[in-house]
Amino acid sequence: MNNYCKSALHQIKVAVTTIVEMIEKLEENDLQKRPTPSKHSIGELLEHLTIICVADSLISDGASQDKMNKFYSSISYKSLDEMKEALIDNHQFLEDKFMNYTEVELHEEVSAYWGVTYSRYEWLLEIVAHIYHHRGQLHSMLVHCYGIDPKTPLFE
């Protein structure tokens, strides 16, 4: 395992830890809140955040659109506790997976079903960006739309 991978995985752990902290400040009824009618509710956004580590890992393996659609339709987390547990488990899955890649495997290029091609290491960086993006959305929704300040530091 190279140090670059360890550093990227550490940043994902920071994001996951702070998402868990935000989840712990919420009530179950917060999951239904939808600041913009045509966009995700807090619960839907959290469910998406919960599965990023596994979903993006599948994409980084070259999963087909059909396989991804089946994966997404098979997932349903409805409570804060389920989401928190799944987020932690899915993060551990991703960390274990990337910790076992060889240097050669990390440089291997894999194409997503929509055509973009990255090395496995670049896919890991994409996962970092994806989680941080949606974590920022969650934080903004809570603070600016609902006056819920989780008082969670977003960076170390």
Side-chain angles (χ1 to χ4, degrees), residues 128-139:
V128 172
H130 193 182
I131 290 174
Y132 272 77
H133 164 72
H134 289 304
R135 184 191 65 163
Q137 285 182 319
L138 174 64
H139 189 267

Side-chain angles (χ1 to χ4, degrees), residues 105-130:
E105 289 169 322
L106 286 170
H107 292 324
E108 182 182 345
E109 292 192 343
V110 180
S111 296
Y113 63 85
W114 62 88
V116 69
T117 300
Y118 295 139
S119 70
R120 279 207 173 88
Y121 178 70
E122 286 177 295
W123 281 114
L124 181 60
L125 297 179
E126 173 64 26
I127 295 168
V128 172
H130 193 182

Side-chain angles (χ1 to χ4, degrees), residues 36-101:
T36 306
S38 63
K39 300 296 181 181
H40 290 330
S41 67
I42 289 171
E44 290 163 343
L45 179 58
L46 274 172
E47 189 173 51
H48 180 69
L49 271 162
T50 297
I51 64 171
I52 287 173
C53 288
V54 173
D56 287 8
S57 168
L58 290 170
I59 292 167
S60 78
D61 287 337
S64 67
Q65 185 172 9
D66 185 54
K67 183 174 182 174
M68 292 310 300
N69 288 339
K70 286 177 183 167
F71 170 76
Y72 291 129
S73 66
S74 74
I75 301 297
S76 179
Y77 302 116
K78 297 302 176 202
S79 75
L80 292 166
D81 285 339
E82 284 179 329
M83 291 178 192
K84 185 170 76 171
E85 183 179 331
L87 182 64
I88 292 166
D89 290 347
N90 292 343
H91 166 256
Q92 189 61 56
F93 164 83
L94 182 74
E95 191 169 294
D96 291 346
K97 180 177 180 174
F98 271 85
M99 292 286 282
N100 286 305
Y101 279 139

